[in-house]
Amino acid sequence: MALPWALAVLSLLPLLDAQSPACPNFSVPITNASLDQISGKWFYIAMASRLPGFKEKASEIHASFFFFTPNHTEDRILLREYMTIGDQCLYNSSSVKVHRENGTLSTSEIDGEYYDHLLLPKDPKTFMLASFPEDKQYMGLSIFADKPEATPEQMQQFYVYLSCMGMDKSEVIYSDEKKNVCLPLEKQHDEERKKEEERSETGTALD
Ligand SMILES: *[C@@H]1O[C@H](CO)[C@@H](O)[C@H](O)[C@H]1NC(C)=O
Ligand SMILES: *[C@@H]1O[C@H](CO)[C@@H](O)[C@H](O)[C@H]1NC(C)=O
Ligand SMILES: *[C@@H]1O[C@H](CO)[C@@H](O)[C@H](O)[C@H]1NC(C)=O
Ligand SMILES: *[C@@H]1O[C@H](CO)[C@@H](O)[C@H](O)[C@H]1NC(C)=O
Ligand SMILES: *[C@@H]1O[C@H](CO)[C@@H](O)[C@H](O)[C@H]1NC(C)=O
């Protein structure tokens, strides 16, 4: 029996070799450099999640973009998010907690704290969030990019991580930038911020 077993093991080796590099390490500690990398404006591109009810909720989000402003000393990220739900723009600002040691970000919802593992692929123009990567019933993966549309290479990386977790392409929901109705609100906020800055500059000048 020794020989067939050895052959079986040998025939598995190339498979394991081909698969393991594709699987990300879900618990890479978050550093100041990773916080700098995710700082700025991001667009939601696509997601898959098995959380009950989530798919229904997520399919109503046609488009979303947000600004991450990390605070390195507080281990928090200010999140300013613009979501197009149906034909409406919803704006929300909240605080995301950074858990450096296990590489997770968490948000507080009414029903508790939700943890997402931050994944930084080689391409710094994207990042991904994985939730419950070990749990087939609840797992989820989403991809964000610095532009409203991801490149085929960026999507390929997402699909590789997705299949590595055991999920299927058919589970993916995609954003639709054409439905984004939040640009006027973003512009309005920009103008308000500029006015606020001018006002405070004049204020200091008068002191
Ligand atoms: C993931 O990365 C962490 C920190 O670099 C390391 O401690 C851990 O062993 C890695 N896990 C795997 C499965 O490689
Ligand atoms: C980070 O938070 C601390 C404590 O609230 C605050 O003093 C500091 O100004 C913040 N840093 C930045 C860059 O916003
Ligand atoms: C991260 O940045 C903060 C604020 O600049 C600094 O206090 C801290 O020492 C840095 N941590 C590391 C590990 O470099
Ligand atoms: C990550 O670390 C935080 C703080 O130590 C802990 O509360 C949380 O449960 C951990 N999350 C995961 C998914 O390991
Ligand atoms: C805004 O964010 C908070 C914190 O994440 C959340 O509890 C709340 O439901 C959000 N509101 C909307 C309208 O999305």
Side-chain angles (χ1 to χ4, degrees):
M1 284 309 279
L3 191 59
W5 184 85
L7 279 176
V9 168
L10 279 177
S11 63
L12 271 176
L13 280 178
L15 253 182
L16 290 174
D17 253 344
Q19 274 177 357
S20 45
C23 281
N25 182 336
F26 291 108
S27 305
V28 177
I30 295 172
T31 62
N32 278 347
S34 26
L35 289 179
D36 289 339
Q37 191 175 326
I38 60 169
S39 169
K41 185 176 185 176
W42 295 97
F43 294 86
Y44 154 64
I45 303 294
M47 75 170 310
S49 174
R50 293 181 175 169
L51 216 58
F54 206 88
K55 192 161 184 169
E56 291 71 23
K57 237 164 85 185
S59 57
E60 287 168 15
I61 305 174
H62 296 311
S64 166
F65 61 92
F66 56 89
F67 294 86
F68 262 170
T69 314
N71 184 315
H72 296 57
T73 47
E74 272 204 314
D75 284 352
R76 277 179 179 274
I77 303 174
L78 169 68
L79 166 66
R80 293 185 292 120
E81 188 176 21
Y82 296 80
M83 273 189 289
T84 301
I85 296 181
D87 57 1
Q88 285 193 311
C89 176
L90 251 104
Y91 173 74
N92 203 358
S93 124
S94 56
S95 179
V96 175
K97 274 190 215 141
V98 178
H99 307 280
R100 289 180 183 252
E101 1 39 85
N102 57 18
T104 58
L105 305 177
S106 73
T107 47
S108 305
E109 302 290 341
I110 306 158
D111 51 348
E113 199 82 358
Y114 279 89
Y115 291 90
D116 283 307
H117 296 256
L118 176 65
L119 305 178
L120 297 176
K122 278 211 186 74
D123 182 352
K125 292 176 159 67
T126 62
F127 75 90
M128 295 185 221
L129 292 175
S131 45
F132 309 106
E134 259 60 88
D135 191 331
K136 292 261 176 263
Q137 271 189 299
Y138 295 107
M139 56 174 52
L141 184 70
S142 38
I143 178 169
F144 308 90
D146 68 341
K147 302 227 163 53
E149 263 144 57
T151 66
E153 292 76 25
Q154 291 169 344
M155 288 315 290
Q156 192 48 43
Q157 182 73 82
F158 175 68
Y159 295 137
V160 165
Y161 285 6
L162 194 75
S163 64
C164 153
M165 285 169 77
M167 284 192 286
D168 191 78
K169 246 179 162 174
S170 64
E171 296 176 64
V172 178
I173 299 170
Y174 298 87
S175 68
D176 182 357
E177 176 60 15
K178 289 193 288 299
K179 293 187 174 155
N180 182 359
V181 295
C182 283
L183 293 176
L185 185 62
E186 184 198 12
K187 208 169 156 220
Q188 184 193 322
H189 285 168
D190 275 350
E191 279 161 11
E192 281 167 8
R193 200 168 309 122
K194 258 186 226 131
K195 270 193 206 135
E196 193 57 46
E197 274 163 22
E198 277 164 22
R199 205 174 298 140
S200 60
E201 271 165 26
T202 337
T204 16
L206 286 175
D207 281 344

